[in-house]
Amino acid sequence: MLRAIWPGESADVRELIVQSESTDAVHEQPVRPTPEQIQAAYRIDKSLATPEPRIVSIVDDLLTTGAHFRAASSVLAAHFPAVQIIGLFLARRVPDEESLL
């Protein structure tokens, strides 16, 4: 989808973060994982880490609590400390208090 939005040579689209283990969908878990718990399963795909990006956009379909964005941002910032990180989300869901527990 991103390559279709930014066609041509100017688009630098890379899947820099790899999830090392499969997990159940967050909305199906009895307790939402913390950003730190999510981050533990993330790593940088070093085969795609060069050249170092100037800006990284984290693109996700849905923003609920921001836990996945914070986890991904932390992993990226640790590997690329000088890089600006931004988020692009296609939809926003505001959870009720009970679903945050």
Side-chain angles (χ1 to χ4, degrees), residues 62-83:
L62 181 66
L63 177 68
T64 303
T65 64
H68 287 87
F69 175 74
R70 289 194 304 274
S73 294
S74 295
V75 170
L76 288 162
H79 193 83
F80 304 111
V83 172

Side-chain angles (χ1 to χ4, degrees), residues 4 11 15 42 56 63-64 66 74-75 90 97:
E15 293 184 37
Y42 286 173
V56 172
L63 177 68
T64 303
S74 295
V75 170
L90 303 181
E97 287 294 319

Side-chain angles (χ1 to χ4, degrees), residues 12-18 44-53 80:
D12 179 3
V13 179
R14 295 182 252 171
E15 293 184 37
L16 289 170
I17 295 181
V18 177
I44 297 291
D45 182 344
K46 292 184 181 173
S47 71
L48 299 176
T50 54
E52 183 169 307
F80 304 111

Side-chain angles (χ1 to χ4, degrees), residues 24 28 34 40 63 83 90-91 96 101:
D24 292 333
E28 294 177 357
T34 66
L63 177 68
V83 172
L90 303 181
D96 57 29
L101 302 176

Side-chain angles (χ1 to χ4, degrees), residues 55-60 69 73 76 83-89:
I55 298 174
V56 172
S57 297
I58 298 172
V59 181
D60 203 349
F69 175 74
S73 294
L76 288 162
V83 172
Q84 179 183 4
I85 300 169
I86 61 173
L88 173 63
F89 307 96

